[in-house]
Amino acid sequence: KRVAILISGGGSNMVKLVESMTGTHPARPVVVGSNDPQAAGLARAQAMGVPSFAIDHRAYPGDRAGFEAALLEPLLAAQPDILCLAGFMRILTPDFVQRFEGRMLNIHPSLLPKYPGLHTHQRAIDAGDAEAGASVHLVTPELDAGPILGQARVPVLPGDTAETLAARVLTQEHRLYPQVLRRFAQGDLTPITLTAA
Ligand code: GRF
C-alpha cells in the first residue's frame, strides 16, 4: 500500500510512521506534504528519503477550495492508497475528504468522542478527568468524528499542565499510529486500545 502523510509542523508522528514501514510491512511511504513550507517535518522526511512538498495555505487567503486543489495535485501524483493526517492543522472540506473517504486516517490528541477540536489537554485537565489520550480515526466530513481505529490512554497526574500532559500523550501517539496503520494496511479495522507502557 502506498501511504501519503500530511503534516503542518514538527512531524514527529510522521517520522514514527515512516520508520515503522520497513521490511515486510504492507505499506510504504510515498510522499509527505505540508500546508507550511517552513514545517520542520519536511526536512525530516527528506532526511529519511521520502519525497516531500509544501502548499502554503497562506497563499490562498479565504480560498479553501483553491488551497485544496493545489494540495491535491502533488498528492494525487504520488498515487496514494492511504492518506494519513499527522499533526495536520487545516480543516479539509467535505469535497476533499470524500475523495479519500474510507482510506484517510487522522490522529487527534484526545479520547474521542471527548474534546474534538483544539486545546484538548487543557480541557481534560479543567474537567478533572483521570485519563486522557489520543485517538486514530477514519476521517469523515465532520471534524474529529469518524470511526475510531485505535486509542491510547494515559493518566492525568496531579499538577499536570497542558504541556506535561501533551508530552505524555505524544509518546503514546508514537506507539498508537504505527500500530493502527499496520493493521489498517492489512485491512484490519478492529479497534485497539493501548495503555501507557
Ligand atoms: C501534536 O499536538 C499531536 O498531539 C497532534 O499534532 C501535534 C503535532 O504532532 N497529533 P507532530 O509532532 O507534528 O506529529
Side-chain angles (χ1 to χ4, degrees):
K1 297 285 186 191
R2 299 170 60 88
V3 174
I5 305 170
L6 294 182
I7 66 170
S8 292
S12 71
N13 276 290
M14 174 275 298
V15 169
K16 297 298 182 183
L17 289 175
V18 169
E19 289 176 344
S20 74
M21 290 184 263
T22 59
T24 59
H25 195 292
R28 61 187 180 84
V30 293
V31 74
V32 170
S34 178
N35 62 293
D36 182 350
Q38 304 302 319
L42 291 170
R44 300 171 86 177
Q46 286 153 18
M48 293 186 289
V50 183
S52 65
F53 70 84
I55 303 293
D56 191 343
H57 70 273
R58 287 172 289 255
Y60 302 86
D63 181 8
R64 199 176 287 276
F67 165 67
E68 290 184 352
L71 180 66
L72 273 173
E73 189 180 331
L75 192 56
L76 295 178
Q79 298 179 296
D81 302 301
I82 298 170
L83 176 55
C84 290
L85 307 182
F88 187 67
M89 303 303 282
R90 304 301 295 172
I91 293 176
L92 295 162
T93 65
D95 284 352
F96 185 100
V97 170
Q98 270 141 19
R99 283 175 176 270
F100 297 96
E101 196 151 7
R103 56 198 184 98
M104 183 167 162
L105 281 60
N106 180 45
I107 189 160
H108 177 76
S110 80
L111 294 174
L112 292 171
K114 293 181 89 169
Y115 315 129
L118 297 173
H119 312 303
T120 60
H121 305 302
Q122 192 57 57
R123 291 155 69 190
I125 292 168
D126 292 348
D129 292 352
E131 281 194 320
S135 306
V136 176
H137 63 95
L138 281 167
V139 176
T140 58
E142 185 186 352
L143 182 69
D144 298 333
I148 290 172
L149 297 176
Q151 293 195 311
R153 313 178 76 90
V154 302
V156 179
L157 299 175
D160 259 337
T161 63
E163 290 71 30
T164 59
L165 182 52
R168 189 173 311 122
V169 170
L170 191 62
T171 300
Q172 297 306 315
E173 291 181 36
H174 295 164
R175 296 175 60 216
L176 177 66
Y177 214 165
Q179 289 190 40
V180 170
L181 176 60
R182 176 184 289 269
R183 295 162 67 92
F184 185 78
Q186 290 166 334
D188 181 355
L189 277 68
T190 316
I192 59 173
T193 298
L194 304 184
T195 50

